[in-house]
Amino acid sequence: MTPAEISQRTAELRAEHRSLDERIAKLAANPDDDLEAKRLKKRKLQLKDCIAQLESMLIPDEPA
């Protein structure tokens, strides 16, 4: 992946992450949908890990 592709994918994942934040906040008002909230939180954590991995690809390797 090129740095531009990585940046674009990271932006897409961040947008999905924010969207999940909003959905989880709405579900917090309705405790009956606990299973859905847990599923969304798990997806949100997966996105966070993926974003971190992509961002680390953008950091150039430097000799120690």
Side-chain angles (χ1 to χ4, degrees):
M1 292 181 89
T2 66
E5 291 172 332
I6 293 172
S7 294
Q8 180 182 358
R9 181 68 179 143
T10 302
E12 292 168 358
L13 293 176
R14 286 182 192 276
E16 185 179 349
H17 191 270
R18 281 189 301 272
S19 173
L20 287 175
D21 266 340
E22 294 169 7
R23 289 177 61 192
I24 290 169
K26 288 178 185 176
L27 284 175
N30 182 9
D32 296 334
D33 232 352
D34 192 40
L35 184 61
E36 178 72 7
K38 286 181 182 180
R39 187 182 66 79
L40 293 176
K41 287 178 183 179
K42 185 175 180 178
R43 174 66 180 150
K44 187 177 160 191
L45 285 173
Q46 290 171 337
L47 288 173
K48 183 178 178 183
D49 290 343
C50 190
I51 290 168
Q53 185 178 17
L54 288 172
E55 286 177 340
S56 72
M57 291 172 68
L58 289 174
I59 299 171
D61 292 333
E62 295 181 16

